[in-house]
Amino acid sequence: MTNIQTKIRKVAIIGAGFVGTSYAYALLNQAIVNELVLIDLDEAKADGEARDLNHGLPFGEPMKVKTGGYEECHNADLVVITAGASQKPGETRLDLVAKNAKIFKGIVEQVMAADFQGIFLVATNPVDILTHVTKEVSGLPKNRVFGSGTSLDSARLQYLLSERLEVDSRDIHAYIIGEHGDSSLPVWSQARVGGVSLQSYTGITDIANDPDMIDRFEGARDAAYHIIDRKGATYYGIALGLLRITKAIFQNENAVLPLSVELDGEYGQQGIYIGVPAILNRQGIREVLELELSETEQQQFAQSAAIIQQMNETARKAIQ
Ligand code: NAD
């Protein structure tokens, strides 16, 4: 007998739609996890997706891909939730909050009934509210429950600034924080190119009011609307964002990523999930990083938090 360690690193994806399967495909191209389960209300769809992914295995990284029920979450290290209803014509955002909160209650209860011991990562919208629902229903500690938050929004801003500055997007540190939605804000006061402030690098004295910078932020904030108008949904960007988060967990990276995390006094907020940079490792969220915000940014952040608070209330009523 050889003494080879065969550690299972297992991810369960709940919701085998555009986002869930794009993330699954991204995982197939990386040797980070070796077991992947797709769970969906539409069992035939999940089965078809798993079959298709499996046929790529001879070209990809060794991995088991299958479908299953919630009992599969028993030994999963990470459960990623990308399931939910999307907004229907005539339906308000608040209707969607209530509808998805109910769906999440059902999902999270079933995951917990399987004696789940791992980490929850939520991507379904409205992500800050549904991450909060996940925390409330699961009763897990806050380090083990978080959402993709403003990771995609920040990546979009990095990309749009990288185009203008002709600097690799990975070397542009520019966060969008707050709600993953219309009330998000760019933290211009702390934006850096390498270690140089964006203001020094560009020579623009008032970045927050510079028309081109405003355009770029709005382009990042509203990107989903533009993409949905053209192709019906967005999924590649978020799939790679989820992959990045997964790597940070399994490789115990202590990486800094803007995620939807529960605040406990940081940024003057208590008990809400909202997008801010946090340090992420194998245990989940290690700590929240508190950016020094300008006065305007503080006000915008407080407004964004108030909007989330209101939606949390709608979700709470829907599931009580
Ligand atoms: P989709 O409609 O393609 O997939 C949703 C899947 O969820 C479907 O396969 C459906 O059968 C399944 N589902 C519905 N109810 C379920 C339940 N109770 N149990 C199990 N499965 C269930 O949608 P999509 O394009 O993949 O988007 C999924 C979510 O991701 C949406 O909420 C979308 O807004 C969100 N999203 C988030 C970000 C982000 O940055 N966080 C980016 C893009 C999309």
Side-chain angles (χ1 to χ4, degrees):
M1 280 282 282
T2 52
N3 192 21
I4 296 171
Q5 297 287 320
T6 52
K7 170 87 182 78
I8 301 294
R9 294 184 306 279
K10 180 172 177 179
V11 172
I13 301 176
I14 303 177
F18 285 117
V19 173
T21 55
S22 302
Y23 166 57
Y25 179 69
L27 283 175
L28 206 70
N29 287 292
Q30 308 264 337
I32 311 163
V33 304
N34 48 25
E35 215 173 306
L36 185 61
V37 186
L38 301 179
I39 302 171
D40 199 290
L41 209 55
D42 185 343
E43 289 176 16
K45 161 108 167 74
D47 185 56
E49 296 290 0
R51 284 170 193 251
D52 198 0
L53 288 165
N54 270 318
H55 299 163
L57 281 178
F59 311 116
E61 295 294 334
M63 196 179 201
K64 252 190 206 161
V65 185
K66 59 181 179 180
T67 56
Y70 283 91
E71 68 284 353
E72 285 288 348
C73 298
H74 169 65
N75 61 346
D77 300 285
L78 177 65
V79 164
V80 181
I81 315 183
T82 61
S86 50
Q87 209 162 342
K88 302 277 179 301
E91 199 173 43
T92 69
R93 208 145 153 258
L94 285 183
D95 292 336
L96 188 69
V97 171
K99 198 194 262 184
N100 274 340
K102 283 185 196 145
I103 291 177
F104 260 58
K105 183 169 188 274
I107 289 174
V108 174
E109 280 174 350
Q110 290 181 85
V111 174
M112 294 312 293
D115 193 21
F116 175 56
Q117 302 290 327
I119 290 172
F120 272 113
L121 166 59
V122 177
T124 306
N125 281 319
V127 70
D128 303 290
I129 286 67
L130 296 175
T131 311
H132 190 258
V133 169
T134 304
K135 164 80 165 40
E136 294 294 300
V137 175
S138 69
L140 290 177
K142 63 181 180 172
N143 64 305
R144 287 171 56 195
V145 183
F146 55 91
S148 54
T150 46
S151 53
L152 179 57
D153 319 56
S154 300
R156 285 169 171 157
L157 183 61
Q158 284 174 277
Y159 162 72
L160 291 170
L161 289 174
S162 121
E163 269 199 322
R164 146 117 192 226
L165 305 174
E166 293 185 4
V167 172
D168 189 327
S169 56
R170 293 168 299 181
D171 293 316
I172 295 176
H173 302 286
Y175 292 114
I176 289 181
I177 62 171
E179 177 206 7
H180 169 62
D182 300 342
S183 71
S184 67
L185 58 132
V187 186
W188 291 127
S189 64
Q190 300 297 331
R192 297 269 183 284
V193 178
V196 181
S197 76
L198 190 58
Q199 182 178 322
S200 305
Y201 186 77
T202 58
I204 301 170
T205 43
D206 188 5
I207 299 265
N209 290 306
D210 179 78
D212 181 49
M213 289 294 168
I214 293 173
D215 258 11
R216 282 174 201 268
F217 161 63
E218 290 178 349
R221 183 194 60 195
D222 302 338
Y225 297 119
H226 302 311
I227 298 171
I228 289 168
D229 274 351
R230 288 163 174 78
K231 57 176 266 192
T234 86
Y235 36 92
Y236 296 134
I238 184 63
L240 290 170
L242 295 174
L243 174 71
R244 176 71 195 93
I245 295 167
T246 307
K247 273 187 184 174
I249 295 170
F250 283 98
Q251 295 174 174
N252 198 26
E253 286 183 24
N254 290 308
V256 177
L257 294 165
L259 301 168
S260 187
V261 296
E262 190 181 62
L263 297 187
D264 184 15
E266 299 93 345
Y267 298 89
Q269 300 295 328
Q270 190 79 43
I272 62 162
Y273 271 87
I274 189 164
V276 291
I279 300 181
L280 181 63
N281 65 23
R282 188 64 189 83
Q283 308 306 314
I285 302 296
R286 191 188 86 188
E287 70 185 85
V288 171
L289 285 187
E290 220 170 334
L291 293 165
E292 256 180 64
L293 303 182
S294 70
E295 229 169 82
T296 313
E297 290 161 355
Q298 283 177 30
Q299 284 163 8
Q300 290 172 331
F301 188 83
Q303 279 164 12
S304 189
I307 288 168
I308 291 179
Q309 198 74 271
Q310 258 179 355
M311 288 198 279
N312 280 342
E313 196 47 34
T314 306
R316 195 184 59 74
K317 284 189 187 137
I319 60 170
Q320 73 190 359

